[in-house]
Amino acid sequence: MTNKFQDFHMPRYDEIPDIDLYMDQLLAYIDKVLAPLSVNQQEKALTTSMVNNYVKQGVLPATVKKRYSRDHVVILIEICLAKQLYSIGEIGKLITVQNASFDMRTSYNYICTELENVLKSTFANEPLSKDSGNSNKMERLLVRNTVIAFAHKLHTQMLSDELLKKISGN
């Protein structure tokens, strides 16, 4: 399996549009960002009903005039990654810890960096570098463990699909 994630880039906080988006723009943007991480290209990463459900459950703040800010986009990207592993209640707890520990820009950019590093290492079958920081160690470990679990799940799904294609002769 080639390492398709060697050059993968998650948009950092300042790369996300700084204009408020309507629902259809929001869904299209997030689908575009997360498309490289999707095993099933036909499946949408996010739908209107999912977004509404996240607001109802208190995991995503309500909009202002039906428009979604950069912070909404960041939270929804994080939810889309984490929902592959955790329940929405558990994701709410993760977001609460994140918001109490770091500002949105710092925590999201750290998640992006960790995700890129872990995907490269996982798909290249190379050891993961150690986290060199000492401050907020538990919070950083929480992010790293989540990202590792996500990368391993994605890798397992892709390996399984590749092996099934070989077996079926496609």
Side-chain angles (χ1 to χ4, degrees):
M1 175 181 289
T2 60
N3 189 353
K4 77 178 207 168
F5 296 106
Q6 197 60 40
D7 298 318
F8 175 73
H9 175 75
M10 279 291 287
R12 297 310 192 259
Y13 188 87
D14 292 330
E15 295 173 87
I16 294 172
D18 191 21
I19 57 169
D20 291 342
L21 303 172
Y22 289 106
M23 179 67 80
D24 58 335
Q25 296 168 314
L26 172 78
L27 298 177
Y29 180 77
I30 290 178
D31 274 344
K32 180 182 171 194
V33 167
L34 297 179
L37 302 176
S38 177
V39 174
N40 181 355
Q41 296 297 324
Q42 286 75 34
E43 192 174 300
K44 295 285 185 186
L46 194 63
T47 65
T48 301
S49 60
M50 288 176 187
V51 173
N52 292 334
N53 190 34
Y54 301 148
V55 172
K56 283 180 190 170
Q57 293 189 30
V59 180
L60 180 70
T63 63
V64 176
K65 298 180 185 176
K66 298 184 181 185
R67 294 174 66 147
Y68 296 86
S69 69
R70 180 187 285 172
D71 286 354
H72 284 105
V73 172
V74 164
I75 293 168
L76 284 166
I77 288 172
E78 293 170 354
I79 289 171
C80 287
L81 294 172
K83 75 179 181 181
Q84 318 247 344
L85 307 163
Y86 303 114
S87 71
I88 208 62
E90 292 168 323
I91 294 169
K93 289 177 188 177
L94 292 172
I95 290 172
T96 299
V97 168
Q98 169 187 315
N99 291 340
S101 305
F102 304 100
D103 65 271
M104 183 80 65
R105 174 183 282 112
T106 301
S107 84
Y108 175 73
N109 287 343
Y110 180 69
I111 290 167
C112 292
T113 300
E114 281 295 295
L115 180 61
E116 291 169 0
N117 292 337
V118 169
L119 285 170
K120 285 176 190 171
S121 140
T122 300
F123 280 82
N125 211 10
E126 295 174 354
L128 185 59
S129 63
K130 289 189 175 189
D131 187 2
S132 59
N134 291 321
S135 63
N136 299 91
K137 188 172 184 165
M138 286 179 56
E139 291 86 347
R140 283 194 330 278
L141 189 58
L142 187 68
V143 169
R144 182 167 261 215
N145 285 348
T146 299
V147 169
I148 288 170
F150 174 82
H152 283 232
K153 182 175 191 277
L154 182 63
H155 190 240
T156 301
Q157 289 173 314
M158 290 183 167
L159 283 172
S160 175
D161 286 353
E162 192 171 299
L163 290 169
L164 285 172
K165 285 178 186 174
K166 277 185 178 180
I167 291 169
S168 66
N170 290 336

